[in-house]
Amino acid sequence: MRQITRVLGVGGSLRADSTAEKALRVALAEAERLGAEVDMLAGTQLAMPLYDPRAEYRGPEAQRLIKAVAAADGVVLATPAYHGSISGLMKNAIDHMEELRDNERPYLSGRAVGCVAVSDGAQGAVAALGALRDVAHALRGWPTPLGIALDDVASRFGPDGECTDVRARRQLTAMAGQVVEFAVHRKTALGERSRAVGGISLS
C-alpha cells in the first residue's frame, strides 16, 4: 500500500495574501507536485488566544493546528520578520505546539522543518530566519539544510501568487524537496523497521 506523506504549512500574517503566505503556497505546491498530501494553516486561521498552558479548553483554531501538526510528516514554517524576529502570530501558533509534549512524536520530533522568513530588507529576514530555525530545533524538529530569507522588496509575486523571482522560486522549491525527501525516507525506514520486528506497517 502506498504510504501517504503529509506536509503541513504554517505561517503568513493577518494580512491576506502576505508575501510570507505566498511563499508558503509556492513551497507547498512543490511538495504536492512531489507526491505529498499538503495542508496549510495561515493568516486568520492562526488568530487564536495567547497560549496558556493552564487552560482546560482550546478553541477550534488551536485544536485544528495541534491535530494538523500531529498528523504531519514534514512542516514548513513561514513568518514575516517583526523587529528582527518571529511575528507574534507565528510565535503564538508555535507555542500551542506545547500541547504535543506527551504525543507519540512530541513537538516536531521526527519531522523535517522548512523555514522561511520575509522582511522589507535582507537583515530582518536573516535575523528572523535564524530565530525560526532555533525554535524548530528546540521543538526537536530537523531544520532543512536550506533555510530561506526573502527580501520583500526584491522578491516578487504575481497576482496569481506565482513567484516571479527565479532565485526565490528555486530556493522555495528546493527547500520543499528537502522536506518531502526526508519525510519519505523516514517513513520508509520506520515501515521497514516495523516489519522487521513483526509489527504493523506505518502506511
Side-chain angles (χ1 to χ4, degrees), residues 30-180:
E30 176 65 9
E32 188 172 40
R33 188 189 72 80
L34 294 172
E37 180 181 282
V38 303
D39 190 14
M40 184 175 78
L41 297 175
T44 56
Q45 293 174 307
L46 301 178
M48 57 190 81
L50 290 176
Y51 178 68
D52 180 356
R54 302 164 297 178
E56 297 182 359
Y57 172 74
R58 304 293 170 196
E61 294 86 359
Q63 291 184 39
R64 183 182 177 193
L65 172 67
I66 294 163
K67 290 178 181 178
V69 174
D73 301 302
V75 178
V76 179
L77 303 175
T79 184
Y82 286 2
H83 308 125
S85 192
I86 304 167
S87 71
L89 183 74
M90 274 297 292
K91 184 60 170 64
N92 188 47
I94 291 169
D95 286 346
H96 277 78
M97 296 179 193
E98 175 65 21
E99 292 302 294
L100 295 171
R101 60 188 176 276
D102 297 322
N103 193 267
E104 181 180 355
R105 292 186 297 166
Y107 306 111
L108 295 176
S109 294
R111 301 169 181 87
V113 183
C115 297
V116 183
V118 179
S119 179
D120 288 335
Q123 182 175 346
V126 170
L129 175 62
L132 192 59
R133 288 172 66 87
D134 285 345
V135 168
H137 190 266
L139 288 174
R140 307 182 192 177
W142 286 308
T144 56
L146 179 59
I148 302 173
L150 292 181
D151 182 347
D152 195 19
V153 176
S155 301
R156 302 299 182 190
F157 289 82
D160 58 353
E162 180 183 359
C163 184
T164 57
D165 182 329
V166 175
R167 182 172 180 272
R169 186 172 66 249
R170 286 176 177 170
Q171 288 183 326
L172 289 165
T173 55
M175 181 201 65
Q178 291 175 356
V179 172
V180 173

